[in-house]
Amino acid sequence: MAEPPKLRVLMVSDFFFPNFGGVENHIYYLSQCLLKLGHKVVVMTHAYGNRSGVRYMTGGLKVYYVPWRPFVMQTTFPTVYGTLPIVRTILRREKITVVHGHQAFSTLCHEALMHARTMGYKVVFTDHSLYGFADVGSIHMNKVLQFSLADIDQAICVSHTSKENTVLRSGLSPAKVFMIPNAVDTAMFKPASVRPSTDIITIVVISRLVYRKGADLLVEVIPEVCRLYPNVRFVVGGDGPKHVRLEEMREKHSLQDRVEMLGAVPHSRVRSVLVTGHIFLNSSLTEAFCIAILEAASCGLLTVSTRVGGVPEAFFFHGLQVLPDDMVVLAEPDPNDMVRAIEKAISILPSINPEDMHNRMKKLYSWQDVAKRTEIVYDRALKCSNRSLLERLSRFLSCGAWAGKLFCMVMILDYLLWRLLQLLQPDEDIEEAPDIRLCDQRDVEVSEGLKEEDKVRNG
Amino acid sequence: MVSSSVSNKRYTYIHESESNSTREAIDIHHVIINGGRATGYARRRGIGFFLVLLASSIYFFLGKENPVRTLSWGCLLSGFLVMLQSRKFVNKEYVIIMPTFGIQLETQYLSGKTVSRFIPVGKILKPVLVECVTPITCYWSLSLFLRGEEQLTLVFKELRPPLKMLVPIWKALCAAIGTDHQSETIAEEEHDVSS
């Protein structure tokens, strides 16, 4: 008979599979490793097209695709109180102990955290991105974040840069913020068994072709490098609004045979694309923590990247440099500096040993380690004392002259609505869902996890 | 007739079956709304309608000449609307399982009307317990996969009995159509994640 789970975690975010990205990956891998550690994990996200309702993924990971419409960039339409009934139902029926929200841009996450705090649950928040302070969008986003994090138990950031950014934006105490870097699935990202020949050097770029990922820099850098080195070719994977600019660049400089555009690459095929290359180029203008370069390094590619945000930290671990300077080349986000960095990379390419790089990454980056550290954060959150409504309201008042009072009103109304819901549908009326365990306990490696979705017929 | 029952605040579940042979007997599973609730709905709805019409009647009273006639029309209308609504109030739903023949799903309304549907056993592929998620809540439902139909057929159309009442009905349905529910706990399907 299996032991009862130690912790029961609800991961909430607008961003989850079938949408693909860093946050989605993070939630999935972290959930799988927590399940292996014996905890129960449930994910809550909004419905994607026809994918609505309850689904079970590998390892018994239960996902609620709640039928709320997404409106802008896959985030749920913010109704502030609209999600209270369903969040309450899910928290009660799954007997959740900790609620873990992901990504500052996710409205569902903020609403769920607010409702969870009102109902007395412990909450943890992970911020995955860096944001600005100057433009109108950022100012509003930061105010929302300030409200959301005013009352939180613990927060997690993926790099020291991200921690500084989050603390400045939200006014949160740094003592409450933990830094847990992302990891990479080294079992999936292995170097090719036979290294491709260095007669023709292949530079791989895999990213969304958007402004903040530096697609404009690529448009400047690629023709210059092709001009200087006739034996270099580029492979560009990914899609986005800047795709058109890259196509124009190809046409203008007649680089159709030297620049291959693959379009959107599903995550399961990323490794097969990476191993065809020698160098990985990352031109992001801002990055909290770049998993893509870890994946490339795990596949034995030499990395050239812009020195922004948390990227330099990706190569340091507990203050120790994971990859030495001759395995990663950093450049300023300027076309000339990047061309110079690529030149340096091409010159040091013969001395690279892909297997060696992979082994170093494998020793230091693993999702199991991230899960253990996250477990510590959960335990710390559970030890935080329960606060009464008045104590919580006093925290909101410090958020600003007008904003503080507005936030207090919002929380009071949330509290009253919760009590009304309890009158209409008492807590005992919400049926608890049974814990469904997959009866054939396959020991599925995380590397296979992405491919399968198990639909469970229960009984 | 062997009878067992389970009840909670909202529903009562009663199971009747023949005592000697188990497989060949007709099984009847009833789910009944507990008395107070159905009439409570009607009472609240009625009061609601009456109040709305009383308020609008008072408005007309202030403006129009013949308030008594307005009020009486108002009461008639509200009574008529309440009666219309009460046709939708369900008293109970039941499932009659006739092994090797089929199942009959019946819904009995407060007004006395009964709607029934017979499904031959050959048409049923599988009974399943599904968790349904709406924007506001999440609940369990018992549904049937039918041959030739794309949508699942709900066994209980109006009522939402709890899982502990649905499980014995599900097991009985599985036994009736010859599915061994013990080995059928997991069915795996691979789907394209990119869909």
Side-chain angles (χ1 to χ4, degrees), chain A residues 18 51 56 62 68 85-86 93 429 431 434 439 450 453 455 457-458, chain B residues 9 129 131 133 135-138 140 162-163 185-187 189 193 195:
Chain A
R51 189 182 289 247
Y56 286 85
K62 188 169 181 180
W68 280 90
I86 185 69
R93 63 197 310 270
D429 278 359
E431 220 188 331
C439 52
L450 268 174
E453 181 189 48
K455 215 185 229 166
R457 306 269 184 259
N458 30 27
Chain B
K9 259 196 303 196
L129 285 166
E131 285 179 272
V133 183
I136 300 175
T137 187
C138 181
W140 287 94
L163 188 64
T185 9
I186 305 297
E189 284 166 33
V193 176
S195 64

PDB file of all heavy atoms in Angstrom, chain A residues 18 51 56 62 68 85-86 93 429 431 434 439 450 453 455 457-458, chain B residues 9 129 131 133 135-138 140 162-163 185-187 189 193 195:
ATOM      1  N   PRO A  18      -0.493  22.056 -23.941  1.00  0.00           N
ATOM      2  CA  PRO A  18       0.297  21.900 -25.159  1.00  0.00           C
ATOM      3  C   PRO A  18       1.036  23.155 -25.637  1.00  0.00           C
ATOM      4  O   PRO A  18       1.721  23.093 -26.650  1.00  0.00           O
ATOM      5  CB  PRO A  18      -0.749  21.494 -26.204  1.00  0.00           C
ATOM      6  CG  PRO A  18      -1.991  22.125 -25.736  1.00  0.00           C
ATOM      7  CD  PRO A  18      -1.941  22.155 -24.255  1.00  0.00           C
ATOM      8  N   ARG A  51      -8.943  21.130 -25.765  1.00  0.00           N
ATOM      9  CA  ARG A  51      -8.363  20.425 -24.615  1.00  0.00           C
ATOM     10  C   ARG A  51      -8.881  21.069 -23.340  1.00  0.00           C
ATOM     11  O   ARG A  51      -8.351  22.060 -22.863  1.00  0.00           O
ATOM     12  CB  ARG A  51      -6.840  20.501 -24.677  1.00  0.00           C
ATOM     13  CG  ARG A  51      -6.142  19.629 -23.671  1.00  0.00           C
ATOM     14  CD  ARG A  51      -4.656  19.818 -23.777  1.00  0.00           C
ATOM     15  NE  ARG A  51      -4.170  19.216 -25.012  1.00  0.00           N
ATOM     16  CZ  ARG A  51      -3.381  18.161 -25.053  1.00  0.00           C
ATOM     17  NH1 ARG A  51      -3.008  17.576 -23.951  1.00  0.00           N
ATOM     18  NH2 ARG A  51      -2.960  17.687 -26.207  1.00  0.00           N
ATOM     19  N   TYR A  56      -4.711  13.320 -17.402  1.00  0.00           N
ATOM     20  CA  TYR A  56      -3.625  12.771 -16.602  1.00  0.00           C
ATOM     21  C   TYR A  56      -2.398  12.622 -17.485  1.00  0.00           C
ATOM     22  O   TYR A  56      -2.480  12.088 -18.588  1.00  0.00           O
ATOM     23  CB  TYR A  56      -4.013  11.397 -16.040  1.00  0.00           C
ATOM     24  CG  TYR A  56      -5.014  11.477 -14.918  1.00  0.00           C
ATOM     25  CD1 TYR A  56      -6.384  11.541 -15.182  1.00  0.00           C
ATOM     26  CD2 TYR A  56      -4.610  11.512 -13.592  1.00  0.00           C
ATOM     27  CE1 TYR A  56      -7.303  11.633 -14.154  1.00  0.00           C
ATOM     28  CE2 TYR A  56      -5.530  11.598 -12.558  1.00  0.00           C
ATOM     29  CZ  TYR A  56      -6.866  11.662 -12.846  1.00  0.00           C
ATOM     30  OH  TYR A  56      -7.783  11.750 -11.831  1.00  0.00           O
ATOM     31  N   LYS A  62      -1.960  15.140 -12.562  1.00  0.00           N
ATOM     32  CA  LYS A  62      -3.333  15.510 -12.931  1.00  0.00           C
ATOM     33  C   LYS A  62      -3.359  16.962 -13.367  1.00  0.00           C
ATOM     34  O   LYS A  62      -2.836  17.836 -12.667  1.00  0.00           O
ATOM     35  CB  LYS A  62      -4.222  15.313 -11.705  1.00  0.00           C
ATOM     36  CG  LYS A  62      -5.700  15.456 -11.952  1.00  0.00           C
ATOM     37  CD  LYS A  62      -6.473  14.979 -10.733  1.00  0.00           C
ATOM     38  CE  LYS A  62      -7.951  15.079 -10.959  1.00  0.00           C
ATOM     39  NZ  LYS A  62      -8.723  14.620  -9.804  1.00  0.00           N
ATOM     40  N   TRP A  68     -11.732  28.565 -19.135  1.00  0.00           N
ATOM     41  CA  TRP A  68     -11.760  30.031 -19.184  1.00  0.00           C
ATOM     42  C   TRP A  68     -11.034  30.425 -20.462  1.00  0.00           C
ATOM     43  O   TRP A  68      -9.974  29.901 -20.767  1.00  0.00           O
ATOM     44  CB  TRP A  68     -11.030  30.629 -17.977  1.00  0.00           C
ATOM     45  CG  TRP A  68     -11.847  30.635 -16.740  1.00  0.00           C
ATOM     46  CD1 TRP A  68     -11.925  29.663 -15.806  1.00  0.00           C
ATOM     47  CD2 TRP A  68     -12.729  31.671 -16.305  1.00  0.00           C
ATOM     48  NE1 TRP A  68     -12.799  30.015 -14.804  1.00  0.00           N
ATOM     49  CE2 TRP A  68     -13.301  31.260 -15.086  1.00  0.00           C
ATOM     50  CE3 TRP A  68     -13.090  32.917 -16.824  1.00  0.00           C
ATOM     51  CZ2 TRP A  68     -14.211  32.023 -14.381  1.00  0.00           C
ATOM     52  CZ3 TRP A  68     -13.991  33.686 -16.115  1.00  0.00           C
ATOM     53  CH2 TRP A  68     -14.541  33.236 -14.913  1.00  0.00           C
ATOM     54  N   PRO A  85     -14.768  30.448  -7.412  1.00  0.00           N
ATOM     55  CA  PRO A  85     -15.442  29.166  -7.187  1.00  0.00           C
ATOM     56  C   PRO A  85     -14.633  27.962  -7.651  1.00  0.00           C
ATOM     57  O   PRO A  85     -14.502  26.973  -6.915  1.00  0.00           O
ATOM     58  CB  PRO A  85     -16.735  29.281  -8.000  1.00  0.00           C
ATOM     59  CG  PRO A  85     -16.933  30.719  -8.254  1.00  0.00           C
ATOM     60  CD  PRO A  85     -15.591  31.346  -8.276  1.00  0.00           C
ATOM     61  N   ILE A  86     -14.056  28.022  -8.847  1.00  0.00           N
ATOM     62  CA  ILE A  86     -13.352  26.843  -9.345  1.00  0.00           C
ATOM     63  C   ILE A  86     -12.047  26.613  -8.576  1.00  0.00           C
ATOM     64  O   ILE A  86     -11.681  25.468  -8.282  1.00  0.00           O
ATOM     65  CB  ILE A  86     -13.110  26.908 -10.892  1.00  0.00           C
ATOM     66  CG1 ILE A  86     -12.493  25.615 -11.415  1.00  0.00           C
ATOM     67  CG2 ILE A  86     -12.262  28.064 -11.317  1.00  0.00           C
ATOM     68  CD1 ILE A  86     -13.357  24.430 -11.392  1.00  0.00           C
ATOM     69  N   ARG A  93     -11.178  19.715  -3.301  1.00  0.00           N
ATOM     70  CA  ARG A  93     -11.320  18.318  -3.705  1.00  0.00           C
ATOM     71  C   ARG A  93      -9.978  17.599  -3.764  1.00  0.00           C
ATOM     72  O   ARG A  93      -9.894  16.395  -3.566  1.00  0.00           O
ATOM     73  CB  ARG A  93     -12.114  18.146  -4.993  1.00  0.00           C
ATOM     74  CG  ARG A  93     -11.645  18.692  -6.221  1.00  0.00           C
ATOM     75  CD  ARG A  93     -12.742  18.790  -7.298  1.00  0.00           C
ATOM     76  NE  ARG A  93     -13.542  17.637  -7.557  1.00  0.00           N
ATOM     77  CZ  ARG A  93     -13.256  16.688  -8.446  1.00  0.00           C
ATOM     78  NH1 ARG A  93     -12.143  16.743  -9.126  1.00  0.00           N
ATOM     79  NH2 ARG A  93     -14.098  15.702  -8.641  1.00  0.00           N
ATOM     80  N   ASP A 429     -19.701  19.859   1.375  1.00  0.00           N
ATOM     81  CA  ASP A 429     -20.407  19.425   0.177  1.00  0.00           C
ATOM     82  C   ASP A 429     -19.471  19.181  -0.994  1.00  0.00           C
ATOM     83  O   ASP A 429     -19.851  18.572  -1.984  1.00  0.00           O
ATOM     84  CB  ASP A 429     -21.432  20.490  -0.248  1.00  0.00           C
ATOM     85  CG  ASP A 429     -22.713  20.357   0.548  1.00  0.00           C
ATOM     86  OD1 ASP A 429     -22.783  19.439   1.384  1.00  0.00           O
ATOM     87  OD2 ASP A 429     -23.628  21.159   0.320  1.00  0.00           O
ATOM     88  N   GLU A 431     -16.968  17.307  -2.795  1.00  0.00           N
ATOM     89  CA  GLU A 431     -16.491  15.936  -2.684  1.00  0.00           C
ATOM     90  C   GLU A 431     -14.992  15.847  -2.899  1.00  0.00           C
ATOM     91  O   GLU A 431     -14.472  16.477  -3.804  1.00  0.00           O
ATOM     92  CB  GLU A 431     -17.162  15.172  -3.818  1.00  0.00           C
ATOM     93  CG  GLU A 431     -17.630  13.816  -3.484  1.00  0.00           C
ATOM     94  CD  GLU A 431     -18.087  13.111  -4.718  1.00  0.00           C
ATOM     95  OE1 GLU A 431     -18.538  13.796  -5.658  1.00  0.00           O
ATOM     96  OE2 GLU A 431     -17.970  11.893  -4.757  1.00  0.00           O
ATOM     97  N   PRO A 434     -10.648  11.022  -5.357  1.00  0.00           N
ATOM     98  CA  PRO A 434      -9.731   9.966  -4.917  1.00  0.00           C
ATOM     99  C   PRO A 434      -8.358  10.150  -5.556  1.00  0.00           C
ATOM    100  O   PRO A 434      -8.250  10.667  -6.668  1.00  0.00           O
ATOM    101  CB  PRO A 434     -10.397   8.681  -5.411  1.00  0.00           C
ATOM    102  CG  PRO A 434     -11.275   9.106  -6.516  1.00  0.00           C
ATOM    103  CD  PRO A 434     -11.678  10.516  -6.260  1.00  0.00           C
ATOM    104  N   CYS A 439      -1.637   1.871 -11.988  1.00  0.00           N
ATOM    105  CA  CYS A 439      -1.361   0.583 -11.355  1.00  0.00           C
ATOM    106  C   CYS A 439      -0.123  -0.101 -11.865  1.00  0.00           C
ATOM    107  O   CYS A 439       0.518  -0.819 -11.141  1.00  0.00           O
ATOM    108  CB  CYS A 439      -2.555  -0.356 -11.396  1.00  0.00           C
ATOM    109  SG  CYS A 439      -3.251  -0.590 -12.986  1.00  0.00           S
ATOM    110  N   LEU A 450       7.965  13.799 -22.066  1.00  0.00           N
ATOM    111  CA  LEU A 450       7.271  14.746 -22.926  1.00  0.00           C
ATOM    112  C   LEU A 450       6.394  14.089 -23.955  1.00  0.00           C
ATOM    113  O   LEU A 450       5.463  14.673 -24.456  1.00  0.00           O
ATOM    114  CB  LEU A 450       8.296  15.604 -23.663  1.00  0.00           C
ATOM    115  CG  LEU A 450       8.645  16.891 -22.950  1.00  0.00           C
ATOM    116  CD1 LEU A 450       9.751  17.564 -23.686  1.00  0.00           C
ATOM    117  CD2 LEU A 450       7.448  17.811 -22.871  1.00  0.00           C
ATOM    118  N   GLU A 453       0.935  11.098 -23.211  1.00  0.00           N
ATOM    119  CA  GLU A 453      -0.101  11.626 -22.344  1.00  0.00           C
ATOM    120  C   GLU A 453      -1.009  10.452 -22.044  1.00  0.00           C
ATOM    121  O   GLU A 453      -1.576   9.844 -22.936  1.00  0.00           O
ATOM    122  CB  GLU A 453      -0.843  12.737 -23.062  1.00  0.00           C
ATOM    123  CG  GLU A 453      -1.916  13.351 -22.207  1.00  0.00           C
ATOM    124  CD  GLU A 453      -2.782  14.297 -23.004  1.00  0.00           C
ATOM    125  OE1 GLU A 453      -3.203  13.903 -24.086  1.00  0.00           O
ATOM    126  OE2 GLU A 453      -3.034  15.401 -22.539  1.00  0.00           O
ATOM    127  N   LYS A 455      -4.314   8.756 -20.708  1.00  0.00           N
ATOM    128  CA  LYS A 455      -5.687   9.040 -20.330  1.00  0.00           C
ATOM    129  C   LYS A 455      -6.122   7.897 -19.434  1.00  0.00           C
ATOM    130  O   LYS A 455      -6.053   6.743 -19.806  1.00  0.00           O
ATOM    131  CB  LYS A 455      -6.538   9.062 -21.598  1.00  0.00           C
ATOM    132  CG  LYS A 455      -7.642  10.082 -21.520  1.00  0.00           C
ATOM    133  CD  LYS A 455      -8.512   9.988 -22.728  1.00  0.00           C
ATOM    134  CE  LYS A 455      -8.695  11.377 -23.280  1.00  0.00           C
ATOM    135  NZ  LYS A 455      -9.225  11.455 -24.556  1.00  0.00           N
ATOM    136  N   ARG A 457      -8.764   5.735 -17.330  1.00  0.00           N
ATOM    137  CA  ARG A 457     -10.159   5.390 -17.054  1.00  0.00           C
ATOM    138  C   ARG A 457     -10.210   4.968 -15.613  1.00  0.00           C
ATOM    139  O   ARG A 457      -9.555   4.038 -15.215  1.00  0.00           O
ATOM    140  CB  ARG A 457     -10.610   4.221 -17.932  1.00  0.00           C
ATOM    141  CG  ARG A 457     -10.383   4.454 -19.387  1.00  0.00           C
ATOM    142  CD  ARG A 457     -11.601   5.093 -20.046  1.00  0.00           C
ATOM    143  NE  ARG A 457     -11.333   5.204 -21.460  1.00  0.00           N
ATOM    144  CZ  ARG A 457     -10.951   6.332 -22.059  1.00  0.00           C
ATOM    145  NH1 ARG A 457     -10.801   7.426 -21.367  1.00  0.00           N
ATOM    146  NH2 ARG A 457     -10.714   6.358 -23.338  1.00  0.00           N
ATOM    147  N   ASN A 458     -10.936   5.708 -14.808  1.00  0.00           N
ATOM    148  CA  ASN A 458     -10.796   5.466 -13.392  1.00  0.00           C
ATOM    149  C   ASN A 458     -11.905   4.624 -12.807  1.00  0.00           C
ATOM    150  O   ASN A 458     -12.966   4.472 -13.368  1.00  0.00           O
ATOM    151  CB  ASN A 458     -10.702   6.793 -12.653  1.00  0.00           C
ATOM    152  CG  ASN A 458     -11.466   7.867 -13.379  1.00  0.00           C
ATOM    153  OD1 ASN A 458     -12.418   7.592 -14.099  1.00  0.00           O
ATOM    154  ND2 ASN A 458     -11.053   9.084 -13.212  1.00  0.00           N
TER     155      ASN A 458
ATOM    156  N   LYS B   9     -26.788  14.758   2.106  1.00  0.00           N
ATOM    157  CA  LYS B   9     -27.727  15.870   2.306  1.00  0.00           C
ATOM    158  C   LYS B   9     -28.648  16.072   1.127  1.00  0.00           C
ATOM    159  O   LYS B   9     -29.799  16.425   1.261  1.00  0.00           O
ATOM    160  CB  LYS B   9     -26.923  17.170   2.530  1.00  0.00           C
ATOM    161  CG  LYS B   9     -26.828  17.555   3.988  1.00  0.00           C
ATOM    162  CD  LYS B   9     -26.405  18.989   4.219  1.00  0.00           C
ATOM    163  CE  LYS B   9     -25.099  19.360   3.598  1.00  0.00           C
ATOM    164  NZ  LYS B   9     -24.547  20.591   4.140  1.00  0.00           N
ATOM    165  N   LEU B 129     -16.502   6.783 -15.731  1.00  0.00           N
ATOM    166  CA  LEU B 129     -16.680   7.842 -14.744  1.00  0.00           C
ATOM    167  C   LEU B 129     -15.758   8.976 -15.165  1.00  0.00           C
ATOM    168  O   LEU B 129     -14.564   8.775 -15.343  1.00  0.00           O
ATOM    169  CB  LEU B 129     -16.262   7.347 -13.353  1.00  0.00           C
ATOM    170  CG  LEU B 129     -17.225   6.405 -12.676  1.00  0.00           C
ATOM    171  CD1 LEU B 129     -16.556   5.734 -11.490  1.00  0.00           C
ATOM    172  CD2 LEU B 129     -18.464   7.151 -12.193  1.00  0.00           C
ATOM    173  N   GLU B 131     -14.546  13.168 -14.822  1.00  0.00           N
ATOM    174  CA  GLU B 131     -14.604  14.403 -14.036  1.00  0.00           C
ATOM    175  C   GLU B 131     -14.925  15.529 -14.998  1.00  0.00           C
ATOM    176  O   GLU B 131     -14.201  15.750 -15.965  1.00  0.00           O
ATOM    177  CB  GLU B 131     -13.246  14.678 -13.389  1.00  0.00           C
ATOM    178  CG  GLU B 131     -12.974  13.784 -12.206  1.00  0.00           C
ATOM    179  CD  GLU B 131     -11.615  14.063 -11.594  1.00  0.00           C
ATOM    180  OE1 GLU B 131     -10.639  13.461 -12.051  1.00  0.00           O
ATOM    181  OE2 GLU B 131     -11.540  14.890 -10.679  1.00  0.00           O
ATOM    182  N   VAL B 133     -15.350  19.477 -15.804  1.00  0.00           N
ATOM    183  CA  VAL B 133     -14.905  20.774 -15.302  1.00  0.00           C
ATOM    184  C   VAL B 133     -15.688  21.869 -16.007  1.00  0.00           C
ATOM    185  O   VAL B 133     -15.755  21.902 -17.233  1.00  0.00           O
ATOM    186  CB  VAL B 133     -13.395  20.966 -15.571  1.00  0.00           C
ATOM    187  CG1 VAL B 133     -12.918  22.271 -14.986  1.00  0.00           C
ATOM    188  CG2 VAL B 133     -12.601  19.822 -14.988  1.00  0.00           C
ATOM    189  N   PRO B 135     -16.517  26.306 -15.852  1.00  0.00           N
ATOM    190  CA  PRO B 135     -15.785  27.479 -15.372  1.00  0.00           C
ATOM    191  C   PRO B 135     -15.948  27.727 -13.881  1.00  0.00           C
ATOM    192  O   PRO B 135     -15.204  28.474 -13.284  1.00  0.00           O
ATOM    193  CB  PRO B 135     -16.395  28.627 -16.170  1.00  0.00           C
ATOM    194  CG  PRO B 135     -16.901  28.011 -17.406  1.00  0.00           C
ATOM    195  CD  PRO B 135     -17.386  26.646 -17.002  1.00  0.00           C
ATOM    196  N   ILE B 136     -16.976  27.096 -13.269  1.00  0.00           N
ATOM    197  CA  ILE B 136     -17.257  27.402 -11.868  1.00  0.00           C
ATOM    198  C   ILE B 136     -16.988  26.221 -10.940  1.00  0.00           C
ATOM    199  O   ILE B 136     -16.640  26.404  -9.787  1.00  0.00           O
ATOM    200  CB  ILE B 136     -18.738  27.820 -11.728  1.00  0.00           C
ATOM    201  CG1 ILE B 136     -18.984  29.037 -12.595  1.00  0.00           C
ATOM    202  CG2 ILE B 136     -19.069  28.150 -10.299  1.00  0.00           C
ATOM    203  CD1 ILE B 136     -20.401  29.450 -12.640  1.00  0.00           C
ATOM    204  N   THR B 137     -17.170  25.016 -11.452  1.00  0.00           N
ATOM    205  CA  THR B 137     -17.056  23.892 -10.526  1.00  0.00           C
ATOM    206  C   THR B 137     -16.549  22.649 -11.242  1.00  0.00           C
ATOM    207  O   THR B 137     -16.273  22.665 -12.444  1.00  0.00           O
ATOM    208  CB  THR B 137     -18.417  23.625  -9.862  1.00  0.00           C
ATOM    209  OG1 THR B 137     -18.238  22.628  -8.848  1.00  0.00           O
ATOM    210  CG2 THR B 137     -19.431  23.117 -10.859  1.00  0.00           C
ATOM    211  N   CYS B 138     -16.402  21.595 -10.468  1.00  0.00           N
ATOM    212  CA  CYS B 138     -15.920  20.342 -11.019  1.00  0.00           C
ATOM    213  C   CYS B 138     -16.713  19.227 -10.350  1.00  0.00           C
ATOM    214  O   CYS B 138     -16.897  19.235  -9.136  1.00  0.00           O
ATOM    215  CB  CYS B 138     -14.427  20.210 -10.702  1.00  0.00           C
ATOM    216  SG  CYS B 138     -13.691  18.740 -11.352  1.00  0.00           S
ATOM    217  N   TRP B 140     -18.210  14.813 -10.657  1.00  0.00           N
ATOM    218  CA  TRP B 140     -18.111  13.508 -11.307  1.00  0.00           C
ATOM    219  C   TRP B 140     -19.401  13.209 -12.054  1.00  0.00           C
ATOM    220  O   TRP B 140     -20.478  13.539 -11.602  1.00  0.00           O
ATOM    221  CB  TRP B 140     -17.909  12.412 -10.263  1.00  0.00           C
ATOM    222  CG  TRP B 140     -16.554  12.406  -9.662  1.00  0.00           C
ATOM    223  CD1 TRP B 140     -16.161  13.011  -8.508  1.00  0.00           C
ATOM    224  CD2 TRP B 140     -15.395  11.747 -10.188  1.00  0.00           C
ATOM    225  NE1 TRP B 140     -14.835  12.781  -8.279  1.00  0.00           N
ATOM    226  CE2 TRP B 140     -14.341  12.006  -9.290  1.00  0.00           C
ATOM    227  CE3 TRP B 140     -15.148  10.972 -11.313  1.00  0.00           C
ATOM    228  CZ2 TRP B 140     -13.052  11.512  -9.490  1.00  0.00           C
ATOM    229  CZ3 TRP B 140     -13.875  10.483 -11.510  1.00  0.00           C
ATOM    230  CH2 TRP B 140     -12.845  10.753 -10.602  1.00  0.00           C
ATOM    231  N   PRO B 162     -23.016  12.146  -5.926  1.00  0.00           N
ATOM    232  CA  PRO B 162     -21.592  12.069  -5.614  1.00  0.00           C
ATOM    233  C   PRO B 162     -20.971  10.754  -6.075  1.00  0.00           C
ATOM    234  O   PRO B 162     -21.680   9.802  -6.428  1.00  0.00           O
ATOM    235  CB  PRO B 162     -21.545  12.170  -4.086  1.00  0.00           C
ATOM    236  CG  PRO B 162     -22.862  11.677  -3.647  1.00  0.00           C
ATOM    237  CD  PRO B 162     -23.843  12.034  -4.718  1.00  0.00           C
ATOM    238  N   LEU B 163     -19.646  10.712  -6.050  1.00  0.00           N
ATOM    239  CA  LEU B 163     -18.904   9.564  -6.567  1.00  0.00           C
ATOM    240  C   LEU B 163     -19.267   8.263  -5.859  1.00  0.00           C
ATOM    241  O   LEU B 163     -19.392   7.208  -6.487  1.00  0.00           O
ATOM    242  CB  LEU B 163     -17.399   9.827  -6.432  1.00  0.00           C
ATOM    243  CG  LEU B 163     -16.478   8.805  -7.086  1.00  0.00           C
ATOM    244  CD1 LEU B 163     -16.668   8.791  -8.585  1.00  0.00           C
ATOM    245  CD2 LEU B 163     -15.030   9.108  -6.753  1.00  0.00           C
ATOM    246  N   THR B 185      -8.834  -0.735 -15.270  1.00  0.00           N
ATOM    247  CA  THR B 185      -8.607   0.514 -14.543  1.00  0.00           C
ATOM    248  C   THR B 185      -7.790   1.506 -15.334  1.00  0.00           C
ATOM    249  O   THR B 185      -7.960   2.694 -15.227  1.00  0.00           O
ATOM    250  CB  THR B 185      -7.871   0.291 -13.210  1.00  0.00           C
ATOM    251  OG1 THR B 185      -7.423  -1.029 -13.139  1.00  0.00           O
ATOM    252  CG2 THR B 185      -8.738   0.610 -12.039  1.00  0.00           C
ATOM    253  N   ILE B 186      -6.849   1.041 -16.123  1.00  0.00           N
ATOM    254  CA  ILE B 186      -6.067   1.980 -16.905  1.00  0.00           C
ATOM    255  C   ILE B 186      -6.184   1.657 -18.382  1.00  0.00           C
ATOM    256  O   ILE B 186      -6.058   0.530 -18.802  1.00  0.00           O
ATOM    257  CB  ILE B 186      -4.551   1.856 -16.541  1.00  0.00           C
ATOM    258  CG1 ILE B 186      -4.335   2.041 -15.052  1.00  0.00           C
ATOM    259  CG2 ILE B 186      -3.727   2.831 -17.323  1.00  0.00           C
ATOM    260  CD1 ILE B 186      -4.712   3.366 -14.534  1.00  0.00           C
ATOM    261  N   ALA B 187      -6.416   2.676 -19.173  1.00  0.00           N
ATOM    262  CA  ALA B 187      -6.312   2.494 -20.626  1.00  0.00           C
ATOM    263  C   ALA B 187      -5.382   3.585 -21.117  1.00  0.00           C
ATOM    264  O   ALA B 187      -5.510   4.734 -20.751  1.00  0.00           O
ATOM    265  CB  ALA B 187      -7.686   2.646 -21.271  1.00  0.00           C
ATOM    266  N   GLU B 189      -3.497   5.821 -24.043  1.00  0.00           N
ATOM    267  CA  GLU B 189      -3.508   6.236 -25.437  1.00  0.00           C
ATOM    268  C   GLU B 189      -2.399   7.223 -25.645  1.00  0.00           C
ATOM    269  O   GLU B 189      -2.159   8.077 -24.815  1.00  0.00           O
ATOM    270  CB  GLU B 189      -4.834   6.924 -25.766  1.00  0.00           C
ATOM    271  CG  GLU B 189      -5.972   5.960 -25.928  1.00  0.00           C
ATOM    272  CD  GLU B 189      -7.314   6.677 -25.910  1.00  0.00           C
ATOM    273  OE1 GLU B 189      -7.378   7.810 -26.380  1.00  0.00           O
ATOM    274  OE2 GLU B 189      -8.278   6.089 -25.410  1.00  0.00           O
ATOM    275  N   VAL B 193       1.697  15.498 -28.683  1.00  0.00           N
ATOM    276  CA  VAL B 193       1.699  16.650 -27.793  1.00  0.00           C
ATOM    277  C   VAL B 193       1.525  17.936 -28.599  1.00  0.00           C
ATOM    278  O   VAL B 193       1.031  18.933 -28.106  1.00  0.00           O
ATOM    279  CB  VAL B 193       3.028  16.705 -26.989  1.00  0.00           C
ATOM    280  CG1 VAL B 193       3.109  17.946 -26.129  1.00  0.00           C
ATOM    281  CG2 VAL B 193       3.141  15.486 -26.101  1.00  0.00           C
ATOM    282  N   SER B 195      -0.565  18.561 -30.810  1.00  0.00           N
ATOM    283  CA  SER B 195      -1.943  18.832 -31.276  1.00  0.00           C
ATOM    284  C   SER B 195      -2.584  19.934 -30.446  1.00  0.00           C
ATOM    285  O   SER B 195      -2.170  20.209 -29.357  1.00  0.00           O
ATOM    286  CB  SER B 195      -2.782  17.576 -31.156  1.00  0.00           C
ATOM    287  OG  SER B 195      -2.895  17.198 -29.806  1.00  0.00           O
TER     288      SER B 195
END
